[in-house]
């Protein structure tokens, strides 16, 4: 149950990130709620070259990732869930490195996703 709740939260945060991305495409001056300054910038992370993988927005990847986790947990396929979440967790570590070291920004949306992925890893491991 907790994995499903976390996957819904991850989905909703990914949806918000996608909304920010669409607004930034329409208006480069758009300021999201999570846009505090140059050091705390969601827009900087979303607009960067690291905001997409193979031409696909990270937020869209998040939709599918969290929907798949929710579905697999609903089908009681916990072994698959754990390995999928492990990949998501390792990706979060890499993206956190890129955000903090390469972009020198703290993205509040991104960090929320990293925290969710950490809790998903813990609870999926406990459910094995």
């Amino acid at each position: 149950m907790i994995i499903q709740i976390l996957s819904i939260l991850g989905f909703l945060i990914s949806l918000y990130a996608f909304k920010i991305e669409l607004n930034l495409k329409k208006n480069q001056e758009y300021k999201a709620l999570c846009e505090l300054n140059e050091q705390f910038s969601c827009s900087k992370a979303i607009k960067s070259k690291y905001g997409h993988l193979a031409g696909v927005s990270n937020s869209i990847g998040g939709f599918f990732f969290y929907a798949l986790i929710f579905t697999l947990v609903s089908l009681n396929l916990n072994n698959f869930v754990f390995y999928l979440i492990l990949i998501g967790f390792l990706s979060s570590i890499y993206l956190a490195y890129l955000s903090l070291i390469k972009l020198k920004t703290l993205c509040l949306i991104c960090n929320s996703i990293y925290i969710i992925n950490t809790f998903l890893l813990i609870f999926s491991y406990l459910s094995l």
Side-chain angles (χ1 to χ4, degrees), residues 73-126:
V73 169
S74 299
L75 297 173
N76 240 0
L77 298 171
N78 293 334
N79 285 338
F80 295 114
V81 170
F82 174 74
Y83 292 112
L84 183 63
I85 289 173
L86 180 61
I87 292 168
F89 175 77
L90 294 173
S91 298
S92 290
I93 291 172
Y94 178 66
L95 289 171
Y97 161 78
L98 292 173
S99 179
L100 293 171
I101 305 302
K102 296 282 187 176
L103 298 175
K104 297 182 183 354
T105 191
L106 188 66
C107 170
L108 299 177
I109 288 177
C110 305
N111 285 314
S112 299
I113 291 293
Y114 307 153
I115 291 167
I116 287 171
N117 287 345
T118 301
F119 280 115
L120 280 171
L121 182 67
I122 292 167
F123 287 111
S124 67
Y125 177 76
L126 293 174

Side-chain angles (χ1 to χ4, degrees), residues 4 7 11 19 21 27 36 43 49 55 58 61 63 71 74 85 106 113 121:
Q4 290 170 309
S7 63
F11 183 87
K19 179 183 178 232
E21 187 174 345
N27 176 9
L36 304 178
S43 300
K49 65 181 179 180
N58 291 347
F63 296 158
T71 303
S74 299
I85 289 173
L106 188 66
I113 291 293
L121 182 67

Side-chain angles (χ1 to χ4, degrees), residues 5-94:
I5 292 169
L6 289 168
S7 63
I8 291 169
L9 284 173
F11 183 87
L12 292 174
I13 292 170
S14 296
L15 185 64
Y16 181 63
F18 186 66
K19 179 183 178 232
I20 292 171
E21 187 174 345
L22 290 178
N23 286 334
L24 284 168
K25 285 181 182 177
K26 292 178 192 172
N27 176 9
Q28 288 290 318
E29 301 301 315
Y30 173 75
K31 296 287 183 199
L33 292 174
C34 56
E35 195 74 26
L36 304 178
N37 57 38
E38 191 67 21
Q39 287 77 35
F40 293 90
S41 174
C42 300
S43 300
K44 188 174 178 181
I46 290 170
K47 290 190 304 187
S48 78
K49 65 181 179 180
Y50 308 115
H52 292 77
L53 177 65
V56 177
S57 168
N58 291 347
S59 58
I60 292 174
F63 296 158
F64 291 109
F65 177 76
Y66 295 112
L68 181 59
I69 289 171
F70 184 88
T71 303
L72 291 174
V73 169
S74 299
L75 297 173
N76 240 0
L77 298 171
N78 293 334
N79 285 338
F80 295 114
V81 170
F82 174 74
Y83 292 112
L84 183 63
I85 289 173
L86 180 61
I87 292 168
F89 175 77
L90 294 173
S91 298
S92 290
I93 291 172
Y94 178 66

